[in-house]
Each structure stands twice: as structure tokens, then as C-alpha cells.
Amino acid sequence: MRYISTRGSAPSLGFEDVLLTGLATDGGLYVPESLPKFSLEEIRSWRGLSYSELAFRVMYPFVEDAIPADDFRAMLDDTYSQFTHKAVAPLVQLDSNEWVMELFRGPTLAFKDFALQLLGRLLDYVLEKRKQHVVIMGATSGDTGSAAIEGCRRCEHVDIFILHPHQRVSEVQRRQMTTVTGDNIHNIAVKGNFDDCQRMVKASFGDQSFLKGKTQLVAVNSINWARIMAQIVYYFQASLALGGPDRSMAFSVPTGNFGDIFAGYLAREMGLPVSQLVIATNRNDILHRFMSGNRYEQQKLEHTLSPSMDIMVSSNFERLLFDLHGRDGDAVRDLLERAQQGPVSIEDYRWKNARKLFDSAAVDDAGTCDTIREVFEANEYLLDPHTAIGVKAARACRRDPAVPMITLGTAHPAKFPDAVKQSGVGVEPALPHHLADLFEREERYTVLDDDLDAVQGFIGSHWKHA
Ligand SMILES: *Cc1c(COP(=O)(O)O)cnc(C)c1O
């Protein structure tokens, strides 16, 4: 399979190169040139498969040029054995035809483990084959950093440097990053905010000369195609568990960078009957404003109780725009360049096309807390603030009560104790067993000034073969 850029002018790449690249050279994101399509009969034949075998069936067409089938199977078995539930992504019923898919049974208690546990293994496999070493550099406001660190802790051929804003991530989130031991793991607390961290990462990808040509940077944010690919699987899993593919499903997805919900769109493009996708945002609602009014416009960042969705622009949305424009890279480039200057719209028929599948809702902090409380009172089931936004949006946007509505449970409530407390449910979510001693573990991190030279100097002298 070949991968092409959403802006149409970068060279096409194979899976290995896409895995090791950030943005395409033309500034676009890589997508498969064409998607594998599965018939209903084939999907039906997957009923009862284990999660990792299902993952193999769904993902193998994307990687087959790079990885022999047995090796990929072994990698998937190892990846999904790290999860603490046999079903890996179990469903919990909230109401007669309403469900939450728990995607927080991995090592760091957020859905990002599904992709980053696999990404670490993919990288090490490909780098071993190529006898190559890389440096991962990423900025995090919380969940991505810990999931990336957990995913790469055993990688022989990867050093990982994660920047977080000093004293601006929650203690649980910080400890999940800084207590992981391994001489290839480096946490940098930057005396600045998340945008400062992000800016330094971007600048470093743009000019990698501080690495002196001895290694290259690899991206672990959701512009990396391998992350999206891994997230397609659980849409198939949920559907098969509830009578698919012989009935269609609706999904509600708490959304920040549009990665997770884009995976749901791809599942449908690959043949899974999905009749509705709900984009659930917090007050950072650029996607909701687009879906409800065909107006795409950046606004100021708001800090909310659902910090993993606090974004101004959703990078993966470009991948959907590419399809909405008939895969015309020039049209996408033009649109996104104009979007830098002010609000933009797309042609009405294209927007209406998107609206056939997508609905959206924005939920503020009060609505988030209300939903945590409502669901707790009705079910004695505790939602994290991101999942609560998904549930509220699902209920607001539902089209057909006969179609199962599945909200993606993106994080464990113990990751966000403050929001749970603020909701007034009066119980404190406990950390799962494997993290029970998190607050006793020793932390390791380096505090640096908000200064590109200082950060690059640190990376340049600390990666393994520097
Ligand atoms: C990352 C994250 C999201 C947003 O996911 P996107 O793929 O960026 O849309 C939602 N909830 C939680 C808990 C997250 O960690």
C-alpha cells in the first residue's frame, strides 16, 4: 500500500517511511492511496475473534508490504496483552440501547494506549530491520506524553523526549510520565505553557541540524498515520459485539485533534455499517461550529475540565477535508491557507455531504459536570469528563433510538479527579491496581527554560548515541 499527502505534492511513501515521518514535505498529512474494503460477509466471519486477531484482520492490509503476517500477529498479541480486560475494549450499557466503550483499560488509562502501545513496537521492529536509531520528540498537555512513554519504554532503537509545561499538568498526569524508568526516557518540564512546548517541537522538526545528522526525529502525535490505523479496530469490535454488521451503529466521540473520530469514518469507508458519527467537543468548538454552520474559524483557546480536548485547530480534520474535496490536494492547501487569514467555508454540497454522516455538539464545563452526576445517579457508573461530553452529545444528537449509540470512553475517571469532584457525586475514583502506588514512586524530570537552544542542547547531548 502506498500513502499520499493531503496537499498533493509530496512524494508517495510506503508504510515504513510513513511511520518514521511527521508531516509530509508539502505540509500535508499522509493517508492511504486507497482503503481496503471488506464485504459484509467477511466482517460477519470475524464474530467471536479475540481483539488482537480482529486487529490483525483490520490492519494487515495497511502494513503487509513491510511486515510478515506472523510477526505482525505476534506484535498485536503482545500489544493487547498489556490491557487489563480480556475484551480489551469492553462495552458497558447505560440505557436500553446506549453504551460506553471503555477504551481506558491500557497502561496509562486513556484510549491513546491502543495506538501508542502498538506504535512503540512497530518502530522498534522497523528500526531493528533497518539498523537505525531515532529520537521521538513530542509536546504534551497530558495524555499523549504518558501513553507515548509507556509505549516506547522497552524500545531499543528509540530515545524519547517529552516536553510538558512546568506545573501546568495534573499531578496524576505528570507522575504517569515522570515515574517511568528507562535510560531512553526523558521528561522535560518547560517553564512555559503548552503552546511554547508545541512551538519548540515544531521548530525542531523543521530544522533538525541540532542532531548533527546522526539521527532523525519521529512524531508521536496523531498526525502519525499508524495511530489512526490502530484506532479503526475498536469500531469493528463494538459493532460485532452488538449485532453488526447486520445492523448499523452510531458512535459519539469526544474530539480534540479529530484522530479518534476520523478512525470511525475510515471504519465506515472500509465497509462497516455506521449510520451516524457525533463530534463531541468542549468549549473549544471549532469542529462543532463547522459542522453546524459551515464556518471554519480559529478562536482563542479556553481551558476546560476536559484538557485533552483543549485545542484551537484539529490537525486530523485535514484528512477529512481531503476526502470531502474529492481528494484534491490543491483545494485542501488553498482552503487551509485561507483559513490562516480568517473564517472559511466549503461548498454547500460538500458540507451537506458531510452532514449526512456527522452531527456535532459542544458541551461546557457545567454540562460536563451535570452529565457525570446524572449518569452516576442513574447507573452508579463514573464517567471521566471527556467521556461525559461524549455521552451528553450522543443524547443531544441521536437520530434513531433503534440504532445502538456507542460513546467512546476515552479516559478513566481517576485520571481527572478534580472534574469528578466538581461534579458533586461525592465519591472519589480510585486508581486501578497497577497504578495504586503512583504517588509513592520516584519522579525523574529536568526543568528547562522556555528556550529552544536549551531544549535542543539537552536532547543533542542526551540521546543514547550522541
Ligand atoms: C486525546 C484525547 C481525546 C481527543 O482525541 P482526538 O483523537 O485528539 O480527537 C479525548 N479524550 C481523551 C481522554 C484524550 O486523551
Side-chain angles (χ1 to χ4, degrees):
M1 171 158 326
R2 303 294 295 174
Y3 294 84
I4 57 172
S5 165
T6 50
R7 301 207 187 172
S9 56
S12 76
L13 298 178
F15 179 76
E16 284 188 18
D17 289 313
V18 161
L19 180 70
L20 298 174
T21 319
L23 287 178
T25 50
D26 57 7
L29 280 70
Y30 278 102
V31 289
E33 193 170 46
S34 64
L35 287 172
K37 298 261 193 278
F38 304 119
S39 66
L40 292 182
E41 197 181 347
E42 185 167 15
I43 298 170
R44 205 175 286 127
S45 77
W46 296 343
R47 279 184 189 147
L49 293 181
S50 67
Y51 189 89
S52 76
E53 183 57 28
L54 179 66
F56 177 81
R57 306 292 173 101
V58 172
M59 285 191 274
Y60 197 56
F62 294 113
V63 305
E64 62 189 349
D65 302 337
I67 308 176
D70 287 350
D71 291 357
F72 192 51
R73 274 211 169 85
M75 208 183 292
L76 293 170
D77 284 345
D78 184 42
T79 297
Y80 295 108
S81 69
Q82 307 299 312
F83 286 64
T84 60
H85 195 291
K86 277 211 87 167
V88 182
L91 290 164
V92 167
Q93 190 160 11
L94 290 189
D95 205 338
S96 50
N97 205 14
E98 188 193 15
W99 312 77
V100 168
M101 175 161 46
E102 293 188 337
L103 300 176
F104 48 76
R105 301 299 195 117
T108 72
L109 313 183
F111 82 89
K112 292 184 172 73
D113 288 326
F114 277 80
L116 284 162
Q117 284 291 314
L118 178 61
L119 185 70
R121 287 162 177 81
L122 282 167
L123 283 172
D124 229 28
Y125 181 91
V126 165
L127 294 166
E128 169 73 27
K129 196 164 78 175
R130 296 184 164 205
K131 298 284 173 255
Q132 202 183 332
H133 190 97
V134 298
V135 169
I136 285 176
M137 184 178 180
T140 190
S141 53
D143 296 337
T144 303
S146 56
I149 286 170
E150 276 291 342
C152 297
R153 64 189 298 184
R154 287 184 197 84
C155 292
E156 304 250 344
H157 305 284
V158 178
D159 282 292
I160 176 162
F161 294 82
I162 297 292
L163 280 55
H164 72 263
H166 188 40
Q167 294 173 339
R168 294 190 201 201
V169 297
S170 80
E171 188 170 2
V172 174
Q173 289 181 317
R174 189 190 70 237
R175 286 181 165 273
Q176 282 189 308
M177 298 191 276
T178 58
T179 60
V180 179
T181 51
D183 60 4
N184 64 335
I185 295 167
H186 306 274
N187 280 286
I188 301 174
V190 174
K191 289 186 190 158
N193 59 30
F194 173 67
D195 289 330
D196 299 326
C197 297
Q198 186 88 308
R199 205 172 317 118
M200 288 199 268
V201 171
K202 266 208 169 135
S204 302
F205 271 84
D207 177 2
Q208 303 189 10
S209 57
F210 69 102
L211 297 168
K212 303 195 170 66
K214 292 198 225 153
T215 185
Q216 74 181 76
L217 293 181
V218 166
V220 286
N221 52 6
S222 58
I223 64 172
N224 192 312
W225 161 256
R227 280 190 56 183
I228 305 290
M229 171 183 88
Q231 292 166 203
I232 300 170
V233 178
Y234 43 69
Y235 289 90
F236 281 89
Q237 147 105 350
S239 166
L240 285 162
L242 295 178
D246 295 307
R247 63 203 293 220
S248 72
M249 303 285 145
F251 292 92
S252 175
V253 188
T255 304
N257 257 324
F258 205 74
D260 212 6
I261 192 163
F262 185 68
Y265 163 83
L266 292 176
R268 180 172 182 271
E269 292 291 295
M270 290 161 69
L272 188 72
V274 173
S275 56
Q276 186 188 14
L277 288 172
V278 178
I279 297 169
T281 76
N282 61 26
R283 280 178 58 210
N284 297 291
D285 60 350
I286 182 169
L287 293 172
H288 169 59
R289 284 180 281 116
F290 174 78
M291 277 302 160
S292 54
N294 189 8
R295 194 180 152 88
Y296 189 75
E297 181 184 23
Q298 289 186 34
Q299 284 179 356
K300 207 170 110 291
L301 188 75
E302 305 272 354
H303 291 280
T304 72
L305 289 176
S306 43
S308 304
M309 292 155 56
D310 287 348
I311 51 94
M312 282 196 308
V313 282
S314 298
S315 39
N316 281 292
F317 193 55
E318 175 163 349
R319 289 182 157 123
L320 181 69
L321 287 172
F322 185 56
D323 279 9
L324 291 178
H325 287 81
R327 309 202 115 203
D328 176 351
D330 292 334
V332 172
R333 182 181 336 104
D334 174 62
L335 181 75
L336 292 171
E337 277 171 10
R338 280 190 290 118
Q340 299 284 322
Q341 318 304 323
V344 291
S345 302
I346 66 174
E347 287 104 314
D348 194 54
Y349 76 97
R350 298 191 196 278
W351 177 74
K352 287 197 174 117
N353 221 6
R355 286 303 315 269
K356 285 184 199 152
L357 179 63
F358 290 99
D359 286 292
S360 66
V363 180
D364 62 12
D365 281 350
T368 306
C369 287
D370 289 347
T371 308
I372 293 175
R373 205 173 46 249
E374 263 167 49
V375 169
F376 188 76
E377 281 166 5
N379 300 62
E380 280 195 39
Y381 183 69
L382 210 44
L383 299 174
D384 100 287
H386 306 79
T387 310
I389 287 173
V391 167
K392 187 164 173 80
R395 291 176 176 177
C397 297
R398 191 155 196 190
R399 291 179 189 170
D400 182 351
V403 173
M405 173 59 86
I406 303 156
T407 295
L408 272 55
T410 51
H412 189 288
K415 252 189 134 154
F416 300 96
D418 294 342
V420 173
K421 191 165 183 192
Q422 215 168 305
S423 75
V425 289
V427 293
E428 270 181 45
L431 282 164
H433 187 66
H434 73 279
L435 287 170
D437 64 346
L438 186 67
F439 286 86
E440 279 96 68
R441 293 183 196 168
E442 193 186 330
E443 291 191 85
R444 263 190 342 147
Y445 61 100
T446 306
V447 182
L448 294 178
D449 284 334
D450 176 15
D451 172 43
L452 187 61
D453 287 339
V455 168
Q456 292 187 337
F458 183 85
I459 295 175
S461 60
H462 283 82
W463 72 277
K464 224 178 276 164
H465 304 290

